[in-house]
């Protein structure tokens, strides 16, 4: 990797992304998350899952036919930012058997300090009164909305409708369907990172 690219990726507000899907136990696909395995074992002991198993376990919470997209988000820290309300994709795959839309976005939070109990780790959200799906392009002149491109909403939201999820021990993971909410970075981010699995 060129040094300039490496320096940009190492900036405090930079994000990394890729696929959370790891092929476990296959000689043709060696372990990917070697450093994560080392950290998990260092803090949790030899019985800790491998990094690959950990990523697959969190990713499995995404449900039916996930995209396997993963991003590590830090964002702007230590100052208030205006909300930018959006959906990540406005899509949710439908389970062929149940006919239910059951694909979830999973957020795994890492606060800025140990034993934290408060807001600012997870995105703030607004529960929509009905599902809001991105255009699939059928039945009208509108082109299909591209996969993995956010749908940005203009305007403001009254404070009484904003949900500010609290992070604490036992509340390190948040799940939602992208068609049910709009969300935005927290008023003030107080996190080391939040990992989004889709």
């Amino acid at each position: 990797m060129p040094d300039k690219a490496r320096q940009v990726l190492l900036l405090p507000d930079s994000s990394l992304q890729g696929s959370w899907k790891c092929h476990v136990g296959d000689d043709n696909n060696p372990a990917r998350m070697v450093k994560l395995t080392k950290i998990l074992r260092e803090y949790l002991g030899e019985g800790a899952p491998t990094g690959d198993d950990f990523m697959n376990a969190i990713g499995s919470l995404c449900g039916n036919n996930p995209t396997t997209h993963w991003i590590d988000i830090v964002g702007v820290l230590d100052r208030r930012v205006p909300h930018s309300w959006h959906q990540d994709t406005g899509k949710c795959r439908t389970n062929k058997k149940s006919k239910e839309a059951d694909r979830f976005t999973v957020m795994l939070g890492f606060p800025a300090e140990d034993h934290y109990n408060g807001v600012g780790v997870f995105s703030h959200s607004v529960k929509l009164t009905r599902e809001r799906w991105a255009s699939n392009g059928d039945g009208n002149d509108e082109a299909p909305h591209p996969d993995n491109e956010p749908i940005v909403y203009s305007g403001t939201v009254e404070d009484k409708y904003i949900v500010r999820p609290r992070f604490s021990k036992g509340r390190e993971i948040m799940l939602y369907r992208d068609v049910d909410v709009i969300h935005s970075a927290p008023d003030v981010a107080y996190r080391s990172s939040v990992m989004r699995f889709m």
Side-chain angles (χ1 to χ4, degrees), residues 19-20 22 31-45 48-58 70 108 110 195 197:
S19 174
W20 55 258
C22 299
R32 290 177 48 208
M33 304 291 173
V34 176
K35 289 183 180 180
L36 180 56
T37 298
K38 183 179 176 186
I39 290 169
L40 290 171
R41 299 251 161 97
E42 179 181 336
Y43 287 93
L44 302 177
T50 66
D52 291 35
D53 288 337
F54 178 82
M55 294 294 281
N56 283 335
I58 300 297
W70 164 85
L108 173 62
F110 296 90
M195 293 183 177
F197 296 72

Side-chain angles (χ1 to χ4, degrees), residues 83-174:
H83 287 289
S84 176
W85 298 106
H86 65 281
Q87 292 173 282
D88 289 322
T89 65
K91 297 182 179 188
C92 185
R93 302 235 166 94
T94 303
N95 184 310
K96 291 178 183 176
K97 290 181 183 178
S98 69
K99 305 295 186 217
E100 294 290 323
D102 61 358
R103 186 177 77 186
F104 296 90
T105 298
V106 178
M107 305 290 261
L108 173 62
F110 296 90
E113 64 183 71
D114 291 342
H115 312 293
Y116 182 65
N117 183 339
V119 299
V121 176
F122 296 117
S123 299
H124 293 171
S125 60
V126 174
K127 173 76 170 97
L128 300 173
T129 56
R130 62 183 182 278
E131 293 176 348
R132 175 74 181 195
W133 291 77
S135 171
N136 60 11
D138 60 351
N140 58 36
D141 293 335
E142 196 173 335
H145 186 76
D147 285 339
N148 295 322
E149 185 175 306
I151 300 172
V152 178
Y153 291 85
S154 60
T156 59
V157 174
E158 287 184 55
D159 196 64
K160 66 182 179 180
Y161 298 113
I162 300 173
V163 176
R164 293 173 171 87
R166 178 172 290 280
F167 178 96
S168 65
K169 184 177 181 181
R171 299 179 69 170
E172 299 92 353
I173 295 176
M174 182 173 87

